[in-house]
């Protein structure tokens, strides 16, 4: 009988846990600069983390603790709510929450052209960049994401032609049980520019890199370091490296550092301007 009571108690607790989970409402962070998750429902309370734009969270309960924030001259009203994320339980201001899924859009402003990059998470929460006065800008990609397979949409386009190209930069190093055969530093290599796939008249898709791209990159890199590697490691070692079929294979290491998008803009007088977007990849 005692065992039966224990089993029933466990089942009751389990069912209550499921019920509580089901009662959570999903919400999405609508603050483009990110939303502070705090330990208590107070703007001076300890910040547990900063939630990224578009991130999905679970709303556990309302607090009825009202708050009004002045944002760029506009009043944003709401209250503190208790929420659950993948790593924390804390409180956020619900004036910057939406019940609907939010695309993580990055906006680029160029002369005579606006650009949107869809569904890309950033590590610094910066969602807008201006390229009107400069030729390049850097987008810091979040460790949970990558710039591959993303849609780039051209808006308010007042150019005769817009062409997009992509390349990436890898770092390459090699090693051996023989300490004399280790490269002393990472060596950077850039791939050739390749045109982006055009989905619609105003929509492009960034290129996605496969395992075969990395294997081919090993061949490119070993060819470039041929003399240095042969002197340090010998021809047999170099011949072995050329047979590598898996980038995780010893004795080389590859790190994808940066991805670049190049815009070639041609106006109606056939003047050409180039703009570069650099995606900085996080190192895990």
């Amino acid at each position: 009988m005692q065992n039966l009571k224990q089993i029933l108690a466990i089942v009751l607790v389990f069912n209550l846990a499921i019920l509580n989970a089901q009662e959570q409402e999903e919400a999405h962070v609508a603050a483009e600069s990110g939303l502070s998750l705090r330990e208590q429902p107070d703007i001076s309370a300890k910040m547990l983390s900063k939630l990224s734009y578009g991130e999905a969270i679970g709303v556990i309960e309302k607090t009825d603790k009202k708050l009004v924030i002045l944002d760029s001259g506009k009043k944003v009203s709401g209250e503190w709510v208790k929420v659950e994320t993948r790593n924390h339980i804390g409180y956020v201001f619900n004036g910057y929450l939406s019940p609907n899924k939010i695309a993580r859009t990055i906006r680029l402003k160029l002369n005579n052209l606006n650009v949107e990059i869809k569904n890309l998470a950033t590590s610094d929460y910066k969602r807008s960049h201006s390229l009107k006065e400069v030729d390049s800008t850097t987008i810091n990609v979040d460790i949970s994401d990558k710039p591959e397979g993303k849609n780039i949409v051209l808006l308010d386009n007042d150019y005769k032609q817009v062409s997009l190209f992509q390349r990436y930069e890898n770092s390459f190093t090699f090693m051996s049980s023989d300490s004399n055969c280790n490269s002393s530093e990472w060596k950077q290599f850039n791939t050739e520019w390749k045109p982006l796939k055009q989905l619609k008249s105003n929509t492009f898709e960034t290129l996605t890199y496969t395992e075969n791209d990395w294997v081919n990159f090993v061949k490119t890199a070993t060819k470039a370091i041929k003399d240095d590697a042969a002197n340090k490691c010998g021809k047999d070692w170099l011949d072995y490296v050329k047979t590598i079929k898996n980038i995780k294979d010893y004795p080389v290491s590859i790190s994808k550092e940066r991805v670049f998008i190049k815009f070639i803009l041609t106006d109606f007088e056939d003047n050409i301007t180039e703009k570069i977007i650099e995606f900085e990849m996080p190192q895990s």
Side-chain angles (χ1 to χ4, degrees), residues 179-193:
S179 60
N180 294 324
C181 184
N182 293 336
S183 57
S184 57
E185 59 185 19
W186 288 87
K187 300 180 185 296
Q188 278 74 40
F189 297 92
N190 293 318
T191 61
E192 295 181 355
W193 290 105

Side-chain angles (χ1 to χ4, degrees), residues 133-188:
E133 304 296 332
V134 296
D135 293 330
S136 64
T137 191
T138 300
I139 295 174
N140 295 300
V141 180
D142 189 77
I143 195 169
S144 66
D145 208 346
K146 57 185 179 180
E148 301 168 40
K150 306 299 183 185
N151 284 1
I152 297 181
V153 182
L154 310 183
L155 304 172
D156 306 318
N157 181 13
D158 196 22
Y159 282 97
K160 179 180 178 181
Q161 183 176 349
V162 179
S163 301
L164 277 70
F165 298 85
Q166 181 173 328
R167 70 170 172 83
Y168 62 87
E169 176 191 275
N170 276 353
S171 289
F172 179 86
T173 189
F174 57 92
M175 62 208 75
S176 170
S177 56
D178 180 356
S179 60
N180 294 324
C181 184
N182 293 336
S183 57
S184 57
E185 59 185 19
W186 288 87
K187 300 180 185 296
Q188 278 74 40

Side-chain angles (χ1 to χ4, degrees), residues 7 27 49 52 89 91 122 152 155 168 197 220 236 238 243 270:
I7 293 172
S49 69
S52 61
I89 291 179
Y91 297 84
T122 60
I152 297 181
L155 304 172
Y168 62 87
K197 180 180 179 181
T220 300
D236 290 343
L238 188 60
T243 67
D270 290 329

Side-chain angles (χ1 to χ4, degrees), residues 42-58:
D42 193 293
I43 57 174
S44 61
K46 178 183 176 182
M47 188 171 76
L48 299 175
S49 69
K50 197 166 188 179
L51 308 179
S52 61
Y53 179 64
E55 183 173 343
I57 59 176

Side-chain angles (χ1 to χ4, degrees), residues 223-242:
K223 183 178 179 180
I225 64 169
K226 175 176 63 177
D227 294 337
D228 187 31
N231 290 335
K232 289 182 177 180
C233 311
K235 185 177 181 301
D236 290 343
W237 182 91
L238 188 60
D239 289 340
Y240 163 70
V241 171
K242 292 178 181 177

